[in-house]
Amino acid sequence: MRVTVGSKNPAKINAVKEAFKEYPYEIISVDAESGVSEQPMSDEETIKGAVNRAIQAAELGEAEIGIGLEGGVQQTPYGLMLCNWGVLAAKGMEPIIAGGARLPLPDEIAQQLLMGVELGPVMDEYAKKQNVRKNEGAVGIFTNGQINRSEMFTHVMKLLAGQYEYQIGQGKKTV
């Protein structure tokens, strides 16, 4: 079975590989468009981006399963929260959705996002590093390395894989 990830981001690709490591699936990645803003500013927008990526990934990769993983932020009474969502789109099924970890962003980061700046460049400048989004991610910076972006998306991927198994009626590994 072929699984296509709708991103070339190594953190996302590694999360999919980790979630499906015990399956004999061929995992490939393609550039899929989210169809939302570069910086999703709500759960709804972030989910929509993940759905769009998953569906397009399946089509572009001619795969049985397409995966869309999207990071965003959500305004709450407790501040602007980092969020991440994933979608598994399988032929003949409604898209399966799962969300992951949340943590508040420091005000100095949140203010820039609320002014329209994307998190990736803000984090590069803040951390004085390049490509934070492809490595530890904001979550890695703000958890002092306790969890990185790939691990955060792996959690979402395991939620998706488990729901997929449940929905196809198989509580064991499939071939």
Side-chain angles (χ1 to χ4, degrees), residues 33-49:
E33 296 295 322
S34 69
V36 299
S37 62
E38 286 293 316
Q39 180 55 65
M41 295 297 292
S42 68
D43 282 332
E44 293 76 16
E45 186 179 14
T46 309
I47 292 168
K48 182 178 180 182

Side-chain angles (χ1 to χ4, degrees), residues 103 136-148:
L103 72 150
E136 67 267 64
V139 69
I141 300 294
F142 297 129
T143 64
N144 202 34
Q146 291 288 327
I147 185 167
N148 64 41

Side-chain angles (χ1 to χ4, degrees), residues 62-111:
E62 298 176 355
E64 290 81 6
I65 294 174
I67 302 292
L69 297 170
E70 192 76 14
V73 294
Q74 172 69 40
Q75 185 65 56
T76 75
Y78 306 99
L80 195 63
M81 296 281 186
L82 186 67
C83 68
N84 64 318
W85 289 91
V87 173
L88 185 153
K91 291 183 180 185
M93 298 174 75
E94 288 294 315
I96 298 168
I97 300 170
R102 302 280 179 141
L103 72 150
L105 293 170
D107 286 340
E108 64 188 282
I109 302 296
Q111 291 308 315

